[in-house]
Amino acid sequence: MTEIPEEQQAAALRAVKDAGERRAALLKQAEEILTKEIKPAAVNAARLGAGRSRIRQLAGVGPTVLYRWLTEAGLPVREKSAPTRKGKRSA
């Protein structure tokens, strides 16, 4: 029996829906791991004196995220320095 185009479209849309639902569940799980496991472990590592670059590398987060976590935890974070202009020398 031959499928009509509408049936093929419906099957394709079901496949998209199923994959989208699985992706949403995995993203939710990833967010929970990030906030409930990685964040506290990263803050603890920083409190114990671990290097922040290494923490970021192992946690898989950028500096903005890590420094926000550290600030929220009350750990000192230096202010972001102003960008320098290339080719200009200070006298």
Side-chain angles (χ1 to χ4, degrees):
M1 183 179 260
T2 307
E3 283 190 83
I4 59 174
E6 290 83 359
E7 290 172 340
Q8 293 173 340
Q9 291 171 4
L13 289 171
R14 277 191 299 276
V16 171
K17 177 183 174 274
D18 292 344
E21 288 174 349
R22 285 195 329 271
R23 179 180 182 269
L26 288 171
L27 289 172
K28 182 179 178 186
Q29 183 181 6
E31 183 64 28
E32 288 179 10
I33 292 169
L34 185 68
T35 58
K36 294 180 181 178
E37 296 179 39
I38 297 173
K39 179 180 177 179
V43 169
N44 187 50
R47 279 196 174 111
L48 295 173
R52 292 178 179 187
S53 293
R54 185 70 172 143
I55 294 170
R56 284 191 308 105
Q57 179 186 34
L58 294 173
V61 298
T64 303
V65 171
L66 178 62
Y67 295 145
R68 184 179 69 237
W69 292 348
L70 299 180
T71 300
E72 289 170 359
L75 293 173
V77 175
R78 68 180 169 92
E79 293 295 318
K80 190 174 182 178
S81 60
T84 58
R85 292 176 51 184
K86 290 185 178 183
K88 294 286 183 177
R89 294 185 182 173
S90 56

